[in-house]
Amino acid sequence: MSSILYRLRESFSDAPNAVARAREISRELADWTSCPTPRMEPVATAEQYAYALSAFDAARIHGNQAEPGVGPCLDELRRRTVVTFDNEEPNSSFAGYAILRPNLIDLWPLPEKLTLTLDSTSPFGDPYSEPDPDCTEEELDDMVSVLGLLSLNVDWDCGWRGLSESKDCGVQVCLNSIWTQQTTEPSVGEFGVWISLGNRIAWTTEGENWRRDCGLSLGGPQQGW
């Protein structure tokens, strides 16, 4: 079941401030909060790639050669000898690693179905980590400290004090991105905090009263995950 998100009507100058505010809200309004679950977004813009190039040596790359534009771009990466594959002879769907070099910036933006990500690169993860793993608050701070222009979304499940239903409730930050229709889009320099309520509670009188009395200035509802 998906959740309903309400954006906090506050502005944040940087990622650490947005994360600190999300934690503050959890401490003040929740009976319990889970470990953070970070999700690295793909390197989506030339600006983000330039930052990644300055801070990292390699990135994870995956896609499907049958998708529009992916095959020719992959051939060009091969020609420039910057890509290695998990399998020696990759099928249509492939995964591997790309060496980050300045002469790749002319390839941006990449084809829609070709993904370059640092989610398997320290401190965001490692080659053996599972997708969307929980992390400690200290590990999250390490991620934020090197985030730069990259996009990172973080969720904490919460049991909001005063609500009888905690399923799909929580707090979320979008760092260098913005929430749209059940997904995020890159927006470098934008940092948002979102309150999440489950569908079973969001539309009830109890949920409406909680939003009214929580002391937060919230935007209108948007569909979450």
Side-chain angles (χ1 to χ4, degrees), residues 43 48-61 81-84 96-104 116-118 120-124 146 150:
V43 180
Q48 287 181 328
Y49 179 76
Y51 171 75
L53 180 65
S54 72
F56 302 93
D57 297 323
R60 191 77 170 156
I61 190 167
T81 64
V82 295
V83 63
T84 57
Y97 288 90
I99 302 170
L100 303 184
R101 291 179 179 167
N103 68 345
L104 300 184
L116 186 82
T117 177
L118 290 155
S120 296
T121 303
S122 180
F124 303 113
V146 300
L150 304 173

Side-chain angles (χ1 to χ4, degrees), residues 1 35 42 46 71 76 94 96 116 120 126 128 146 155 166 172-173 202:
M1 183 176 291
C35 293
E76 183 62 21
F94 63 88
L116 186 82
S120 296
D126 62 66
Y128 309 104
V146 300
D155 296 307
S166 62
Q172 172 179 315
V173 294

Side-chain angles (χ1 to χ4, degrees), residues 22-98:
R23 288 167 170 160
E24 179 184 42
I25 290 171
S26 298
R27 287 194 302 268
E28 292 179 352
L29 299 180
D31 288 324
W32 59 267
T33 306
S34 70
C35 293
T37 302
R39 295 184 309 281
M40 258 328 265
E41 294 298 312
V43 180
T45 66
E47 189 177 19
Q48 287 181 328
Y49 179 76
Y51 171 75
L53 180 65
S54 72
F56 302 93
D57 297 323
R60 191 77 170 156
I61 190 167
H62 58 86
N64 189 314
Q65 297 183 68
E67 295 290 343
V70 172
C73 189
L74 192 61
D75 289 341
E76 183 62 21
L77 291 170
R78 283 185 171 121
R79 189 185 71 79
R80 300 186 194 191
T81 64
V82 295
V83 63
T84 57
F85 299 102
D86 292 351
N87 300 317
E88 186 173 345
E89 293 295 334
N91 298 319
S92 273
S93 295
F94 63 88
Y97 288 90

Side-chain angles (χ1 to χ4, degrees), residues 144-159:
V144 172
S145 71
V146 300
L147 185 65
L149 303 180
L150 304 173
S151 297
L152 178 71
N153 299 319
V154 188
D155 296 307
W156 293 261
D157 292 334
C158 293

